[in-house]
Structure formats: C-alpha cells, structure tokens
Amino acid sequence: MSRRSVRAPRAKRSELPAVTTASPCPCGLPAAYGACCGRFHTGPATAPTAELLMRSRYSAFAVRDEPYLLTTWDPATRPPSVDLEPAMRWTGLEILETTDGSAFHTTGTVTFRARFTQQGKPGVLHERSRFARHEGAWVYVDGTFAE
C-alpha cells in the first residue's frame, strides 16, 4: 500500500488497535494474527508470496507497524517514513487479483480493495500493487490507484 507523506505524530498507546497474537488476523485469512501476519512482523520469517506480503503489509497498517512497512518496501522507492494517521482504522481487505508473485517468480502484482474509516467516515483504497524480490525477499515496489 502506498501511503507516503510526512510523518504524522505517533498515536497514543490507548488509540492503537487492540490486536494480540490470538486476535483474528486483520488481513482476513482464517488464522490468528500471531500465526498469520504477526509471524512476519515479529520474526525472521518472510512472506513467501507477493500476496502474503500484501496481506502482511495491510496488517502492518492496521497495527501501525512502521518498521515492518519500511523494511518490506523496495529501497529504490521507499520513503523516509510512513504516515500512520491516528484517526484511520483499517477495517477489511479484499484481494481481487494476483498475477505471478509465487515462489517461482521474481515479480508479481496484487490488486486489492482495503476498507477503512477515517474520523468515522468510511473509505476504500483500491490499488494495483507491484512487488519484486530484493535480496531474495518480496518487497513492495509501488502501486497505482484502480477504479
């Protein structure tokens, strides 16, 4: 997801979404956060496909894990920081299409719709994201907004 801009003030701890390792994963797969995207956020494991990287990046936005977002961003397109808006809550992810991006590919694309609320108003981010392998791991390259 390509939410680039100047770094916003960090949200207070009480404003952060309450996601534990036992919580349902924000990415929408039927697994607990710790066994799904959380294992990529906290451990040495890396997402084995572009789609799983997309899901883990969505979850990182949901739990406000800026270091993970920056680590999984292609160095050639990575911004200095990620704007994690305190008033934004990510509420659902729908993968629409995946092209390539498996263990046998070096590039891939994932088209998705990510639902959110911002200051209580619903919104949708519809994007076609490009991914590539960098030093063996999948990274987000960039995205274009879809209609």
Side-chain angles (χ1 to χ4, degrees):
M1 295 177 7
S2 61
R3 305 249 342 131
R4 297 183 209 188
S5 67
V6 178
R7 183 180 203 149
R10 282 234 180 249
K12 294 178 185 172
R13 190 86 179 137
S14 62
E15 295 173 356
L16 293 175
V19 176
T20 68
T21 57
S23 297
C25 193
C27 82
L29 290 177
Y33 170 70
C36 194
C37 295
R39 66 192 164 118
F40 302 132
H41 295 173
T42 61
T46 60
T49 66
E51 180 179 331
L52 284 176
L53 180 63
M54 173 62 237
R55 288 180 177 280
S56 69
R57 286 178 56 80
Y58 170 85
S59 291
F61 273 96
V63 301
R64 299 184 184 165
D65 187 344
E66 180 183 22
Y68 182 79
L69 292 167
L70 292 172
T71 298
T72 58
W73 209 311
D74 188 318
T77 58
R78 179 189 307 140
S81 65
V82 179
D83 181 11
L84 299 175
E85 300 172 30
M88 185 173 277
R89 299 288 180 262
W90 295 97
T91 59
L93 176 65
E94 178 184 8
I95 302 295
L96 303 172
E97 180 181 24
T98 300
T99 305
D100 297 336
S102 77
F104 304 104
H105 298 106
T106 57
T107 62
T109 62
V110 179
T111 304
F112 66 91
R113 279 193 197 102
R115 298 193 187 317
F116 62 89
T117 60
Q118 187 171 20
Q119 298 178 342
K121 297 178 183 171
V124 176
L125 172 65
H126 187 183
E127 183 177 300
R128 181 175 186 264
S129 295
R130 290 188 319 129
F131 297 87
R133 289 204 185 259
H134 176 75
E135 297 178 355
W138 284 107
V139 292
Y140 170 80
V141 177
D142 59 20
T144 56
F145 294 111
E147 294 188 26

